[in-house]
Amino acid sequence: MSRFDGQVVVVTGAGRGIGAAYARMFAAQGAKVVVNDLDAEAARESAQAVGGVAVPCDASTEAGVELLIGTARELAGSIDVYCANAGVARSGMVDAAENAWETSWQVNVMAHVRASKALIPQWVSQGHGMFVSTVSAAGLLTIPGAAPYAVTKHAAYAYAEWLSMTYADAGVRVHAVCPQGVRTRMLEDSGPAGKALMDKSVIEADEVAVALLAAIEAGQFLVLPHPEVAQMYEIGRAHV
């Protein structure tokens, strides 16, 4: 019997990249997977590949979260695992545009807040549930030239920590996934500077999913697909 047999898993931003890798991993573990993405065609293709269902919408807005969770419950049943994976990488220095900050805040942080608001009460009532936040190594460290991304990823990590601290005793499991360079469209779109910064450590999206499963089995909150991030984090703290 697989670990997630019969459980309903929702993954946002799962049309490709890390989200699609999560969908494959959970499906292989017996889950019924609900694939969300802004790109409707990508969502349908990813869902078809894992025998899941597609619910394309904007999972960062209140209306989008309500639509996603409501439709997922109608099509698949009560949600056991929610992977808040969709994210945006907006670059910019102190003069970054207001809309870069606003978009980053809504997608990288408020999407997590809105989903947990809709799910946590049920999970507390039933005594179990799992929230997976795809953060970034930038949420533990930082990244040059991308203030909106680095700051909102720090906020996403802080929110995952708060969820874990607050609801662990009620049976809610939380995992914060903090990869460094992953071979995805987001990395490709980061330009020469971003790719040069992470080129030597780039891993495949499926390796992130493997690291998540291992952390779930071990009961670890922090998921580090790049183990060297832990060392960099400790070095950074020592110099603060």
Side-chain angles (χ1 to χ4, degrees), residues 38-59:
L38 270 175
D39 185 331
E41 183 178 354
R44 285 191 289 269
E45 289 177 356
S46 181
Q48 185 176 20
V50 300
V53 295
V55 183
C57 64
D58 184 350

Side-chain angles (χ1 to χ4, degrees), residues 84-109:
N85 169 75
V88 294
R90 296 290 186 265
S91 61
M93 307 290 277
V94 292
D95 59 351
E98 287 286 329
N99 64 358
W101 282 103
E102 179 62 18
T103 300
S104 300
W105 180 252
Q106 294 300 325
V107 179
N108 294 346
V109 184

Side-chain angles (χ1 to χ4, degrees), residues 141-229:
L141 310 173
T142 191
I143 188 168
Y149 181 71
V151 172
T152 55
K153 287 299 188 178
H154 271 73
Y157 182 77
Y159 187 65
E161 273 191 317
W162 182 86
L163 284 178
S164 181
M165 174 197 72
T166 305
Y167 296 106
D169 288 345
V172 178
R173 299 266 305 272
V174 182
H175 300 279
V177 188
C178 296
Q180 202 166 7
V182 183
R183 205 175 307 281
T184 63
R185 178 177 290 186
M186 186 179 287
L187 180 62
E188 289 301 313
D189 291 345
S190 68
K195 285 184 280 189
L197 195 66
M198 294 181 279
D199 190 51
K200 292 180 181 178
S201 64
V202 169
I203 63 174
E204 300 298 329
D206 286 312
E207 295 178 74
V208 180
V210 168
L212 171 58
L213 181 59
I216 289 171
E217 292 175 342
Q220 294 174 343
F221 165 76
L222 180 58
V223 186
L224 294 177
H226 296 79
E228 63 269 26
V229 169

Side-chain angles (χ1 to χ4, degrees), residues 13-116:
R16 56 180 64 86
I18 294 173
Y22 286 170
R24 291 190 293 270
M25 182 272 285
F26 280 111
Q29 291 293 314
K32 295 185 287 185
V33 181
V34 178
V35 172
N36 162 263
D37 204 283
L38 270 175
D39 185 331
E41 183 178 354
R44 285 191 289 269
E45 289 177 356
S46 181
Q48 185 176 20
V50 300
V53 295
V55 183
C57 64
D58 184 350
S60 70
T61 66
E62 288 185 84
V65 168
E66 183 178 339
L67 174 63
L68 172 57
I69 291 176
T71 305
R73 285 170 172 162
E74 289 175 11
L75 295 177
S78 180
I79 297 167
D80 299 287
V81 181
Y82 190 96
C83 299
N85 169 75
V88 294
R90 296 290 186 265
S91 61
M93 307 290 277
V94 292
D95 59 351
E98 287 286 329
N99 64 358
W101 282 103
E102 179 62 18
T103 300
S104 300
W105 180 252
Q106 294 300 325
V107 179
N108 294 346
V109 184
M110 292 308 298
H112 300 207
V113 174
R114 289 166 178 146
S116 61

